[in-house]
Amino acid sequence: AKLILITSLALGTTITISSNHWVLAWTGLEINTMAIIPLICKPHHPRAIEATIKYFLTQSTASALILFSSMTNAWSSGQWDITQLNHPTSSLLLTMAISIKLGLVPFHFWFPEVLQGSSLTTALLLSTLMKLPPITLLLLTSQSLNPTSLTLLAISSALVGGWMGLNQTQTRKILAFSSISHLGWMIIIILYNPKLTILAFALYTVMTTTVFLSLNQTKTLKLSTMLISWTKAPTLNTTLMLTLLSLAGLPPLTGFMPKWFILQELTKQEMIPAATIISLLSLLGLFFYLRLAYHSTITLPPNSSNHMKLWLTNKMPNTSAAILTTMSTLLLPLSP
């Protein structure tokens, strides 16, 4: 069953990102949604079921909106080509639908809840692979979207993603809000330089995958568990600290590269206020990444922790985690 679900995920993503026809793109998105639902509700727990239902309702609403927008466009222009989205109403509807699919502010409420209800590996799939088809649709239609609304969505996502992450103690929710603020960075540049969106998405995927794999290794779900996880895998925790700082976008690390390029491109486009605001908002994100890093390595609590000792971790870190950690910290010199 797991093999079928993973193949369906790959198939749905491939169909969406390689299609020219609206109905085909919609079919790919539907296959994706149907394949991830059993993966979310696999743990028999009320929280997981609740997350599944929330995910299903939001994604089906977004899919219906995508169909509606493409039908309106086809009705007015007589063709189903994705790149020819000429009708203003349908482009607005599409922007809304994609925001719901991605979890951009103000349609972000489902995303932290769903991530909190699913396991770490499913949360990884939800925050990386499931974001690829909607971003591709945005890339294909970016010529006909409204720049003001996209910039507004992007800045509010960076704001809310940073702000609401400050108060969280659950690692999955913190990563969900970090995902929302990163999406803001990707969306703000999509009209002016789509390649930078792809670069930002690729690097975000690498860094988030590293963080989720490291957390999955030590079974860390809360910040209080993170405090005692250094006894299990000290080296892993140190590299996790570096990866978190890289996600925050600190200069010698990889995560600085997309932010640097995006700010440079925004200043070229004479969007100085937007660039200033979004770079100031990334400080909010920096605060909670620093708090995560602080919990993972910098504070070492007394060894007599009053938690049950979880000695049995699953398999020790494998080569993929090592390669991903290296990539998420040391790629900056490769930037042109």
Side-chain angles (χ1 to χ4, degrees):
K2 200 173 270 186
L3 180 70
I4 292 174
L5 295 175
I6 301 289
T7 351
S8 307
L9 273 179
L11 176 75
T13 309
T14 319
I15 287 178
T16 304
I17 62 182
S18 57
S19 61
N20 281 323
H21 193 287
W22 272 116
V23 176
L24 205 58
W26 173 81
T27 315
L29 288 169
E30 285 298 292
I31 294 174
N32 250 357
T33 309
M34 287 300 145
I36 196 88
I37 279 177
L39 290 174
I40 305 177
C41 68
K42 187 170 172 279
H44 292 295
H45 191 273
R47 199 67 202 261
I49 309 298
E50 181 191 345
T52 314
I53 292 172
K54 282 178 180 168
Y55 185 76
F56 175 71
L57 291 175
T58 47
Q59 298 298 310
S60 47
T61 313
S63 293
L65 275 176
I66 287 179
L67 263 190
F68 184 40
S69 117
S70 53
M71 279 172 65
T72 316
N73 186 53
W75 185 53
S76 70
S77 67
Q79 41 74 30
W80 286 89
D81 192 358
I82 290 185
T83 48
Q84 309 288 322
L85 191 73
N86 304 323
H87 197 268
T89 317
S90 53
S91 67
L92 186 68
L93 277 172
L94 182 83
T95 316
M96 265 183 61
I98 299 287
S99 322
I100 298 176
K101 280 250 176 235
L102 289 173
L104 285 170
V105 177
F107 310 104
H108 63 288
F109 296 101
W110 63 273
F111 189 53
E113 298 290 324
V114 171
L115 242 62
Q116 183 56 31
S118 47
S119 67
L120 279 167
T121 35
T122 316
L124 168 65
L125 278 177
L126 280 171
S127 49
T128 54
L129 184 69
M130 302 302 285
K131 300 267 187 261
L132 182 58
I135 284 185
T136 317
L137 285 181
L138 267 191
L139 280 168
L140 289 171
T141 55
S142 60
Q143 303 314 315
S144 41
L145 300 177
N146 179 4
T148 326
S149 59
L150 277 185
T151 311
L152 211 70
L153 279 172
I155 289 180
S156 53
S157 296
L159 172 72
V160 171
W163 211 335
M164 292 182 73
L166 297 179
N167 210 10
Q168 304 296 334
T169 53
Q170 303 282 340
T171 46
R172 285 169 294 187
K173 273 199 174 171
I174 293 180
L175 285 167
F177 286 117
S178 109
S179 176
I180 292 171
S181 62
H182 274 271
L183 278 168
W185 279 86
M186 293 171 213
I187 298 302
I188 199 166
I189 201 68
I190 200 160
L191 287 177
Y192 311 105
N193 196 339
K195 286 179 183 164
L196 282 185
T197 302
I198 298 172
L199 173 79
F201 181 71
L203 291 180
Y204 163 73
T205 305
V206 167
M207 294 183 286
T208 311
T209 311
T210 318
V211 173
F212 270 114
L213 287 179
S214 309
L215 293 178
N216 193 30
Q217 202 66 52
T218 51
K219 293 275 179 281
T220 308
L221 297 176
K222 303 194 289 291
L223 288 181
S224 53
T225 331
M226 204 170 199
L227 277 171
I228 55 163
S229 69
W230 67 279
T231 48
K232 298 188 225 169
T235 333
L236 188 69
N237 262 21
T238 316
T239 52
L240 175 63
M241 179 192 77
L242 284 174
T243 313
L244 286 166
L245 294 180
S246 179
L247 259 179
L250 287 183
L253 305 165
T254 309
F256 179 57
M257 189 190 338
K259 295 197 168 171
W260 181 23
F261 288 163
I262 286 171
L263 288 176
Q264 191 182 0
E265 185 65 35
L266 285 176
T267 36
K268 277 184 195 165
Q269 300 290 341
E270 295 182 357
M271 294 173 65
I272 312 284
T276 315
I277 293 170
I278 202 164
S279 55
L280 285 174
L281 289 177
S282 70
L283 291 175
L284 290 169
L286 176 65
F287 179 81
F288 62 76
Y289 290 123
L290 276 177
R291 195 176 64 167
L292 275 171
Y294 190 73
H295 277 286
S296 70
T297 315
I298 305 168
T299 38
L300 297 182
N303 278 349
S304 55
S305 56
N306 53 4
H307 286 266
M308 285 179 61
K309 274 281 195 289
L310 309 161
W311 287 116
L312 290 168
T313 60
N314 43 359
K315 297 187 294 295
M316 278 324 283
N318 42 17
T319 37
S320 63
I323 295 168
L324 282 168
T325 305
T326 317
M327 283 172 69
S328 58
T329 48
L330 300 175
L331 278 187
L332 189 67
L334 291 184
S335 56

